[in-house]
Amino acid sequence: MPSGFKISTPKWLGMSSCSWEMTYNTNAQVPDSAGTATAYLCGVKANEGTVGVSAATQRTQCNTTQGNEVTSILRWAKDAGKSVGIVTTTRVNHATPSAAYAHSADRDWYSDNEMPPEALSQGCKDIAYQLMHNVKDIEVIMGGGRKYMFPKNKTDVEYEMDEKSRGTRLDGLNLINIWKSFKPRHKHSHYVWNRTELLSLDPYTVDYLLGLFEPGDLQYELNRNNVTDPSLSEMVEIAIKILKKNPKGFFLLVEGGRIDHGHHEGKAKLALHETVEMDRAIGKAGIMTSVEDTLTVVTADHSHVFTFGGYTPRGNSIFGLAPMVSDTDKKPFTSILYGNGPGYKVVGGERENVSMVDYAHSNYQAQSAVPLRYETHGGEDVAVFAKGPMAHLLHGVHEQNYIAHVMAYAACIGANQDHCASASSAGGPSPGPLLLLALLPLGILF
């Protein structure tokens, strides 16, 4: 672990079951987050770049969407009377959260401003619009993405002078007002945009919560303003307090999405601090729930081309140098490296001498083997950790879409509920109702 981190064994290593998932998309050996999120949330493998649709939908082709929509475990839980929530450090209409409620031929259709005229004319709706209309009674939504909810050029409440933070919607809709209009008058609904407002709420009296804390993605944990932006673990704590009031249980999707972004930027320190905060959120969820009635799943939608080596001794900072120099160019190298990405640097025709740079800086871009502006995902299998009812079903190696079916089976929701009825009729314990919690961090290399 990085020097100075007050953390011992990661919370996901305390899970009772471990398996591996194959992450490829139907048309890609190395996947993206849209197709993978569709797999583990909807139970169906999908094409790269598409969310909430089967592989019959082609990316960017709006007219291939209709009839190929697939629903997610969030919808199955809601249909069963459970409370549901989404908590993310990305924008709430980013790839992973959007697979829980949207059906889109392109993950980048955040608002209608990002959609081509052809798609609009064919009747496709942007993802922010779908968030407010497809499942109107999601109890908890927290993350970023404010600008996609407001009309074009509407000034942001927090960044008044920043043009990039202004509203993007071409249809002139204020989706926050639409969200409010859908909530029953006798329910307590709250929209908040900063940490102070969030922490002032009494979650035990809140029925619906929409928290949008940034125009786009949330700030990295290392850069977070603790006045305006809540941490992931704070959001998780509040979400569980709201959702667990339902005696029928709940489903909560938690995404540490900026782990992925830190790796893409080649900034390992940012990515790993995000991972530690994700670990805190897992620990908080574990304290607030019981292994007797809560299935907790911790996994990643994909890996990254990220590695840690160099024969470093125990006690060496994870952000430090390997104890030897290259036996080829006689230059030092960091223990953290990327297979590709923006950290590739050549100085005077030779590999950069990293002992001359501040490789422990938060924004240091670790060395990579191939120059790319944006580091890529990896294609290998990733680990799945689980504890709670039916956690034993997650063992061995499985297709990624298997995860959704395990969670649904454990909770007695979705299409396959025969085991629930048979258990009840035989006088045995029924697996449901069950508190169901899925913690799915992005981009951890296990």
Side-chain angles (χ1 to χ4, degrees), residues 4 41 48 94 151 179-180 203 206 321 326 348 372 433:
L41 292 176
E48 176 270 338
H94 207 259
W179 177 84
K180 293 176 181 177
V206 174
L321 296 176
S326 165
L372 288 177

Side-chain angles (χ1 to χ4, degrees), residues 79-160:
D79 290 346
K82 299 183 188 296
S83 295
V84 296
I86 296 170
V87 174
T88 180
T89 53
T90 68
R91 61 203 81 179
V92 294
N93 48 351
H94 207 259
T96 294
S98 65
Y101 59 81
H103 315 287
S104 179
D106 198 310
R107 59 174 286 178
D108 295 331
W109 291 350
Y110 300 122
S111 74
D112 56 351
N113 183 66
E114 289 77 43
M115 296 178 66
E118 181 184 39
L120 292 171
S121 67
Q122 291 174 349
C124 281
K125 298 296 184 181
D126 64 87
I127 296 172
Y129 181 94
Q130 293 189 54
L131 172 59
M132 301 305 174
H133 291 82
N134 286 6
V135 187
K136 296 180 181 179
D137 51 354
I138 298 174
E139 280 81 2
V140 175
I141 304 169
M142 282 191 279
R146 270 197 311 261
K147 65 182 180 180
Y148 305 108
M149 310 298 168
F150 293 103
K152 184 79 170 177
N153 293 325
K154 179 176 174 57
T155 301
D156 184 71
V157 66
E158 185 176 4
Y159 305 102
E160 296 181 0

Side-chain angles (χ1 to χ4, degrees), residues 33-106:
S33 300
T36 51
T38 300
Y40 60 64
L41 292 176
C42 303
V44 176
K45 286 265 188 178
N47 289 327
E48 176 270 338
T50 65
V51 293
V53 289
S54 72
T57 297
Q58 301 300 309
R59 186 171 188 177
T60 74
Q61 302 302 308
C62 169
N63 60 4
T64 65
T65 304
Q66 188 172 1
N68 298 317
E69 300 91 344
V70 292
T71 55
S72 78
I73 190 169
L74 181 140
R75 173 63 74 100
W76 308 339
K78 173 55 67 176
D79 290 346
K82 299 183 188 296
S83 295
V84 296
I86 296 170
V87 174
T88 180
T89 53
T90 68
R91 61 203 81 179
V92 294
N93 48 351
H94 207 259
T96 294
S98 65
Y101 59 81
H103 315 287
S104 179
D106 198 310

Side-chain angles (χ1 to χ4, degrees), residues 61-323:
Q61 302 302 308
C62 169
N63 60 4
T64 65
T65 304
Q66 188 172 1
N68 298 317
E69 300 91 344
V70 292
T71 55
S72 78
I73 190 169
L74 181 140
R75 173 63 74 100
W76 308 339
K78 173 55 67 176
D79 290 346
K82 299 183 188 296
S83 295
V84 296
I86 296 170
V87 174
T88 180
T89 53
T90 68
R91 61 203 81 179
V92 294
N93 48 351
H94 207 259
T96 294
S98 65
Y101 59 81
H103 315 287
S104 179
D106 198 310
R107 59 174 286 178
D108 295 331
W109 291 350
Y110 300 122
S111 74
D112 56 351
N113 183 66
E114 289 77 43
M115 296 178 66
E118 181 184 39
L120 292 171
S121 67
Q122 291 174 349
C124 281
K125 298 296 184 181
D126 64 87
I127 296 172
Y129 181 94
Q130 293 189 54
L131 172 59
M132 301 305 174
H133 291 82
N134 286 6
V135 187
K136 296 180 181 179
D137 51 354
I138 298 174
E139 280 81 2
V140 175
I141 304 169
M142 282 191 279
R146 270 197 311 261
K147 65 182 180 180
Y148 305 108
M149 310 298 168
F150 293 103
K152 184 79 170 177
N153 293 325
K154 179 176 174 57
T155 301
D156 184 71
V157 66
E158 185 176 4
Y159 305 102
E160 296 181 0
M161 304 305 293
D162 184 9
E163 293 185 4
K164 293 183 179 180
S165 298
R166 293 177 182 173
T168 64
R169 302 200 63 81
L170 301 177
D171 57 16
L173 293 177
N174 182 322
L175 294 183
I176 304 302
N177 289 342
I178 290 177
W179 177 84
K180 293 176 181 177
S181 71
F182 288 152
K183 303 301 174 281
R185 290 184 177 274
H186 66 283
K187 296 292 186 179
H188 295 92
S189 306
H190 298 270
Y191 165 66
V192 297
W193 65 269
N194 62 62
R195 180 176 182 265
T196 302
E197 291 181 345
L198 177 67
L199 298 186
S200 69
L201 296 175
D202 177 3
Y204 297 107
T205 64
V206 174
D207 296 305
Y208 296 96
L209 173 62
L210 174 61
L212 301 176
F213 305 106
E214 286 288 335
D217 303 316
L218 299 192
Q219 299 293 326
Y220 284 110
E221 179 64 20
L222 269 178
N223 303 330
R224 181 171 62 87
N225 183 324
N226 60 16
V227 174
T228 57
D229 294 344
S231 67
L232 181 61
S233 53
E234 288 172 335
M235 292 191 289
V236 166
E237 179 176 4
I238 291 172
I240 293 176
K241 287 179 178 178
I242 294 172
L243 298 174
K244 71 187 302 184
K245 298 195 298 283
N246 187 340
K248 292 185 177 181
F250 68 89
F251 171 82
L252 175 61
L253 170 65
V254 178
E255 182 204 16
R258 301 231 67 193
I259 299 171
D260 173 78
H261 296 173
H263 284 315
H264 281 312
E265 294 178 17
K267 298 176 181 178
K269 194 165 192 174
L270 294 180
L272 293 182
H273 274 268
E274 292 294 311
T275 305
V276 170
E277 177 55 27
M278 184 72 201
D279 187 68
R280 294 191 186 104
I282 295 168
K284 177 64 67 174
I287 293 170
M288 298 179 68
T289 58
S290 168
V291 71
E292 299 300 322
D293 61 10
T294 307
L295 173 64
T296 303
V297 180
V298 181
T299 188
D301 54 358
H302 53 71
S303 71
H304 280 263
V305 290
F306 170 71
T307 190
F308 170 49
Y311 299 114
T312 52
R314 292 294 296 273
N316 192 71
S317 170
I318 196 172
F319 303 118
L321 296 176

